[in-house]
Amino acid sequence: MRALSVVLPLAIAAAVLSLYNLSHLLPPEEWSSALFSPSEADIGQLVAHETFFPRVVLSLMAGAGLAVVGALLQHVLRNPLADAATLGITGGAYVAVVATTFWLPATTLLSTETAALAGGGGAALLVIALAWRRRLEPLSVILAGLVIGLYASTLASTMILFHGGVRTVFIWGAGSLNIQGWSRVASITPWLAVAAVLLALLRRPLVLLSLNDEGVKSLGLPLPFVRVLILAIAIVIASEIVSVVGPISFVGLIAPALARLSDARTVGRQLLLSAMTGAALLWAVDQLVQSISTAREIPTGAAVALIGSPILLVLLPKMRLAAWTTEARSARSLERRQRFGIFFIAIVCLILVVSWLSLSLGIGLEGWHWSGGRELVDLSYWRAPRLVAAFCGGASIALSGTVMQRVTGNAMASPEILGVSTGAALGVIVMLLCGFGLDRVTQTGGAFLGAFLTMATLLLLSRRSSFSPDRMIYVGIALTTLFSGLVSVLMGTGDPRMAILFRWLSGSTWLAQPMDAVLAAGILVISMLVLPFMLRWLDILPLGAAAARQLGIDLGKSRFCLLLVIALLAGASTLIVGPMSFIGVMAPHAARMLGQVRTGAQLTASALIGGAVMIIADWLGRLVLFPDQMPAGLLAALIGGPYFLWLMQRRPT
């Protein structure tokens, strides 16, 4: 009864909501006829038969399938936060389906289901390969999956931007159960049936996987083969579900967690209870959205994310999370410390050269063209503001990432990974929908407020764990998904302003005006003038709270002041770079790899590297797809994502 204490209330609520919604379509005496033999002359029966009943069945099947996938991945990888979304499977399937929809219509040999399977499987294999060197330790798997999922979203955004259909794709990309007919239900039924049979046959190996590796091998079980087989089953199920309903997050996280908390001790009971919980949860959320007339356009996946993120934050303290030891600086890295003057001269020369090329070299209707003299002066009115804005945006996000890594003591922290950039973007969207306009002052205020509240929430929720890196990453995952769900809901409303915002969210500098450049430069200069007075805090805080107190640091005051700087820099940079560029994590590591390990040198080097990357991305964005232009933020993300994965792969265990 305790195990069913979660499932029964959800199922009862879902059933009541379903009956309520169905009663608005048909009187009760026609329900059975509408299900089995609808009258072609009755519109209400046809709608119920072709839309309502398939939607209910699909929600049950998709919820159960995603929950089983999450339970399998968590059991095999021994990671309580593994699921199809956090391992990048849904992201890979999503970008593959988007590419197939735009460039390879369904009439070709490559179907949507095949594309989803290839994309999801490829993403999962890449995650496992990146984390294999660390023996699939929990944080490595989650971090690799998160970055690959975000990178896949960037690729999908690039395709959406240049193909169109923003609203339709955003609704599907947020996870939609809006179907017509029973074809989608029929398409995934065989896959789920085969998976259920295979899992029943693999019951004993699943039980043995609860032991350690040595115990499993001593019992004669081929451990690598069994793990690969179970992972393959999970990947196939998740990819097929994504191809039908789109990416739906958090069902695979929450359902297994609730099953474990409900005293489901054995593997079989955990899988069964996870499937029941996932089915009831998705069914209830979908019917709840449908019962509210003003919320029917909200994608079900976005609604699950909005409801599931707070639940995950509540469950986090009850989960046993593996610790992650921060990488200690080796003697070799100290020996590589270079003179700052040499680096400074080299990077400044690079910035000057790229700036000159950006102002004078371009592509016109007649091909490549150099500008000089009066023509260069005239073009500078358009090119100089976006050049300055791009540099200041990149430098700001790099500074924000550097400060955040030192405040949290987490070498992988950045505004993009921990959700601060997404919170800033959400703040701008909320300000716009509240009628405050699109001027830069209002945007900057909204972005600052969103970034500040996100960072404050992150620190508040991580305080009990002494700001441990793994806990902050997990909280950041929840916040990123929550804000992404809100953005997807707003982008799917059909508001014409959302199409304009989509280009802005991609990190576009196309319409940068002189005032925009002045504002971005002013915020960067103010931050650079303030940070030297905080160098002692940034030197000591990475040592931990206890050491900081012993050295006389006021933790509350120092963290609050640095929080203001992070929010200001992240908010300002998001307006130009967009919420996903990876510069916030890439630039600090690049500065450290180049020998700039002292706080002041690393801050300056990170800012210069971030600014250089952004002006290069802005210049190339004008050229690579001429006459179209690729937003600098998207291009920086396409460059920074592989660098981040390479950086993660090369770090020693």
Side-chain angles (χ1 to χ4, degrees), residues 2-7 257-265 273 277:
R2 181 177 179 180
L4 296 176
S5 61
V6 176
V7 177
L258 293 176
R260 287 191 297 271
L261 294 177
S262 300
D263 275 352
R265 303 292 178 86
L273 190 58
T277 305

Side-chain angles (χ1 to χ4, degrees), residues 225-248:
F225 173 77
V226 172
R227 280 181 172 169
V228 170
L229 180 59
I230 295 174
L231 288 175
I233 295 173
I235 291 170
V236 170
I237 297 175
S239 301
E240 290 300 321
I241 292 176
V242 170
S243 69
V244 174
V245 301
I248 296 180

Side-chain angles (χ1 to χ4, degrees), residues 444-470:
T444 304
F448 170 76
L449 184 61
F452 179 83
L453 293 177
T454 304
M455 193 65 193
T457 303
L458 180 69
L459 294 178
L460 180 64
L461 295 176
S462 304
R463 183 179 58 182
R464 293 182 59 184
S465 62
S466 300
F467 306 98
S468 64
D470 59 332

Side-chain angles (χ1 to χ4, degrees), residues 147-378:
V147 173
I148 289 176
L150 294 175
Y151 191 72
S153 299
T154 302
L155 291 175
S157 299
T158 304
M159 290 183 283
I160 294 170
L161 180 64
F162 291 104
H163 191 280
V166 173
R167 182 173 185 266
T168 303
V169 178
F170 257 105
I171 291 175
W172 181 87
S176 176
L177 295 174
N178 189 13
I179 62 173
Q180 300 292 332
W182 293 85
S183 59
R184 295 188 181 181
V185 174
S187 66
I188 65 173
T189 299
W191 295 97
L192 295 180
V194 172
V197 173
L198 291 177
L199 291 178
L201 296 176
L202 292 172
R203 181 178 179 181
R204 181 176 179 272
L206 283 170
V207 173
L208 294 179
L209 285 178
S210 302
L211 306 174
N212 55 35
D213 292 354
E214 290 76 11
V216 173
K217 292 178 181 179
S218 65
L219 295 174
L221 185 69
L223 185 59
F225 173 77
V226 172
R227 280 181 172 169
V228 170
L229 180 59
I230 295 174
L231 288 175
I233 295 173
I235 291 170
V236 170
I237 297 175
S239 301
E240 290 300 321
I241 292 176
V242 170
S243 69
V244 174
V245 301
I248 296 180
S249 303
F250 276 106
V251 175
L253 277 179
I254 297 172
L258 293 176
R260 287 191 297 271
L261 294 177
S262 300
D263 275 352
R265 303 292 178 86
T266 64
V267 178
R269 290 184 180 181
Q270 287 181 5
L271 291 176
L272 179 60
L273 190 58
S274 296
M276 296 170 61
T277 305
L281 176 63
L282 191 57
W283 181 24
V285 171
D286 183 55
Q287 292 301 315
L288 176 63
V289 171
Q290 294 302 304
S291 65
I292 304 174
S293 58
T294 57
R296 290 177 181 173
E297 294 297 323
I298 297 178
T300 304
V304 172
L306 298 180
I307 297 174
S309 299
I311 297 177
L312 178 61
L313 293 175
V314 172
L315 293 178
L316 272 176
K318 300 180 181 180
M319 294 182 181
R320 294 181 179 180
L321 304 178
W324 181 45
T325 56
T326 305
E327 178 187 358
R329 188 179 297 128
S330 63
R332 178 179 297 180
S333 65
L334 294 178
E335 293 175 358
R336 293 177 56 197
R337 182 180 300 174
Q338 301 174 357
R339 293 182 179 180
F340 180 74
I342 299 176
F343 167 81
F344 182 80
I345 294 174
I347 192 69
V348 169
C349 290
L350 174 64
I351 292 172
L352 292 176
V353 170
V354 176
S355 300
W356 173 64
L357 292 174
S358 178
L359 291 174
S360 58
L361 179 61
I363 300 179
L365 298 178
E366 299 179 356
W368 291 90
H369 179 71
W370 286 92
S371 301
R374 182 63 184 177
E375 184 183 17
L376 179 60
V377 174
D378 294 337

Side-chain angles (χ1 to χ4, degrees), residues 519-603:
L519 182 61
I523 293 176
L524 178 61
V525 169
I526 292 173
S527 302
M528 292 292 288
L529 293 176
V530 171
L531 283 174
F533 297 98
M534 304 178 178
L535 290 181
R536 183 170 180 267
W537 294 344
L538 295 174
D539 282 330
I540 296 176
L541 285 177
L543 301 177
R549 290 191 185 95
Q550 292 177 358
L551 294 174
I553 298 295
D554 187 339
L555 292 179
K557 177 183 176 181
S558 60
R559 283 175 176 157
F560 179 77
C561 293
L562 291 170
L563 171 61
L564 291 177
V565 175
I566 292 172
L568 182 63
L569 290 170
S573 61
T574 302
L575 298 175
I576 302 167
V577 181
M580 192 52 55
S581 66
F582 294 104
I583 292 179
V585 68
M586 180 176 63
H589 282 282
R592 190 180 298 113
M593 291 172 63
L594 291 173
Q596 310 306 321
V597 295
R598 291 177 297 178
T599 304
Q602 187 188 14
L603 288 172

Side-chain angles (χ1 to χ4, degrees), residues 397 414-426 451 454 570-571 573-574 578-580:
I397 196 70
S414 76
E416 303 100 330
I417 299 297
L418 298 184
V420 178
S421 294
T422 311
L426 181 63
T454 304
S573 61
T574 302
M580 192 52 55

